[in-house]
Amino acid sequence: MNGQQKKLYKIVLTGGPCGGKTTGQSKLCTFFENLGWKVYRVPETANVLLSGGIKFSELTEDQVDTFQSNLLKSMLRIEQTYFELGKTCDQDCLIICDRGVMDAAAYISSYKWNRIMKNNGWNVVDMRDNRYDQIIHMVSAACGAGEFYSTEDHASRSEDLDLAKSLDVKTSTAWIGHPYFDVIDNSTDFENKIRRMIAAVCQKLGISTDDRLATNSKKRKWLVKHLPNDELFPPFQDFEVEHHYLQTYTKNMQSRLRKRGQKGHWNYTHTLRKPKIQEQVIEIKMQLTHKSYVNLLPLKDETHNPIYKKRRCFIYNNQYFQLDIYRKPCHKRCKGLILLETHSVLENQDLFDRLPKFLDIEAEVTDNAAYSMFNLSLVEDWEKSKKFCH
């Protein structure tokens, strides 16, 4: 088929009870099958095992630990079966995982989770960041749409409203830090919630949705005056991030490498930002192996400085935020720079009310070219540079 390399894209659909995960999986499957993709749906491993008569209330603490460890091993094996099928598929392939490895962390203490990781020689960066291309968290109806929360018609769901809220927070917290983590909240009706979820996947794949998915979610950015003390934040994950711009042969195209990790474990991404098509910017993001990353590094564009950041990821008011703290070595324009980012369909006061109250926000800079990373990385002063992107 034209010799073009086939796409294999692995996503996790997760979230609290009654968040639309089951419906979303079905709609996402239909949408991509209509595009000509092969779609595999990985079943939720916990449901498969629990359907065999296991009841947590009857298990001892040691039995729970053993069950959770074996649950993870089973999940990894089941997922790998689908991943290997996807690699041999002769068409573009989407693999939808009904929950993923990190969901198990929501149901046990951090001590037990870390022990399971250590005993099996696993690390969180590989399990969370490198295993899946994108995470979609469908916020429970219990959070902001309680009138629609129901446990009917769901054999394995018995959570009351408060427990559902708690589980929603725990499952979202477990995934904080994945490089492509989208939180789909209840700020719209359910039909548009599903559309926003599908659009989030299409956006990451660089698929133009035209009028098929009506959504007005956009990336927003704010300038923050200073970094407050860690204890003021909700649960967060910090990452070391390094960006390099690469040479391109087309003036309006941007090519960028990213290295991102924790505790010596790394995730590598190549992003191509293409010229606008019908006023829509197309970005294609591809995960890389370490070898591919090293092979591309010599293509660095010497008119750009590398960008070094600490990226802090957290959820506040059901909104997923990334806080980028720019670090040395850097151009003087980046010294002390802190930028807050999120994606949202909300506007004006509704969005402002969602912003973290513990941050001293100076101004919104969403469309301000002075705060684009492309311009911030330029070696030349902006007054002299012909590459400044307006």
Side-chain angles (χ1 to χ4, degrees), residues 360-371:
D360 191 353
I361 294 174
E362 188 170 341
E364 181 169 2
V365 294
T366 299
D367 298 313
N368 190 333
Y371 295 97

Side-chain angles (χ1 to χ4, degrees), residues 363-387:
E364 181 169 2
V365 294
T366 299
D367 298 313
N368 190 333
Y371 295 97
S372 84
M373 194 168 64
F374 182 87
N375 290 332
L376 288 168
S377 67
L378 287 171
V379 172
E380 290 184 317
D381 289 337
W382 289 338
E383 294 78 11
K384 302 175 183 177
S385 177
K386 295 180 180 179
K387 295 194 70 175

Side-chain angles (χ1 to χ4, degrees), residues 118-170:
K118 182 178 180 180
N119 289 344
N120 288 281
W122 299 330
N123 70 80
V124 171
V125 170
D126 281 340
M127 290 296 193
R128 180 192 58 214
D129 303 347
N130 292 330
R131 187 168 182 81
Y132 313 99
D133 295 297
Q134 186 177 7
I135 310 301
I136 302 285
H137 179 90
M138 304 291 284
V139 174
S140 170
C143 305
E147 64 273 24
F148 297 104
Y149 182 77
S150 173
T151 58
E152 295 179 5
D153 302 320
H154 202 298
S156 62
R157 180 180 297 151
S158 59
E159 303 89 349
D160 62 21
L161 206 63
D162 288 338
L163 180 56
K165 290 178 181 178
S166 175
L167 287 174
D168 191 90
V169 170
K170 288 179 179 178

Side-chain angles (χ1 to χ4, degrees), residues 265-364:
H265 301 286
W266 301 98
N267 171 269
Y268 305 95
T269 307
H270 181 209
T271 298
L272 280 175
R273 184 181 177 92
K274 297 184 175 182
K276 286 186 177 180
I277 300 175
Q278 296 181 354
E279 297 305 310
Q280 182 172 331
V281 174
I282 301 297
E283 280 194 350
I284 299 176
K285 300 177 185 291
M286 296 160 282
Q287 285 211 40
L288 300 175
T289 62
H290 175 260
K291 183 178 180 180
S292 297
Y293 174 82
V294 170
N295 288 339
L296 285 172
L297 267 179
L299 300 177
K300 288 183 293 186
D301 186 342
E302 298 300 334
T303 65
H304 289 266
N305 290 310
I307 291 285
Y308 300 96
K309 308 175 185 175
K310 177 167 80 172
R311 172 164 288 177
R312 177 161 294 184
C313 306
F314 61 94
I315 293 175
Y316 184 85
N317 281 338
N318 287 328
Q319 193 77 30
Y320 187 64
F321 291 97
Q322 295 184 157
L323 191 69
D324 282 347
I325 303 107
Y326 283 70
R327 307 179 76 164
K328 296 179 180 179
C330 63
H331 193 282
K332 60 184 179 181
R333 68 174 74 98
C334 297
K335 186 178 180 180
L337 183 62
I338 303 175
L339 294 174
L340 178 73
E341 293 184 1
T342 192
H343 282 80
S344 182
V345 298
L346 300 176
E347 296 286 348
N348 305 324
Q349 191 62 39
D350 289 335
L351 179 56
F352 185 79
D353 290 341
R354 290 279 188 98
L355 298 183
K357 299 296 187 286
F358 54 87
L359 292 179
D360 191 353
I361 294 174
E362 188 170 341
E364 181 169 2

Side-chain angles (χ1 to χ4, degrees), residues 24 39 49 61 65 74 90 93 96 104 111 123 150 185-186 191 213 223 246 281 306 313 318 331 337 352 359:
V39 181
L49 297 182
E61 188 171 342
D65 288 356
S74 300
D90 60 0
C93 181
I96 308 169
Y111 169 76
N123 70 80
S150 173
D185 64 13
N186 298 301
E191 183 177 352
L213 299 171
L223 180 64
L246 304 182
V281 174
C313 306
N318 287 328
H331 193 282
L337 183 62
F352 185 79
L359 292 179

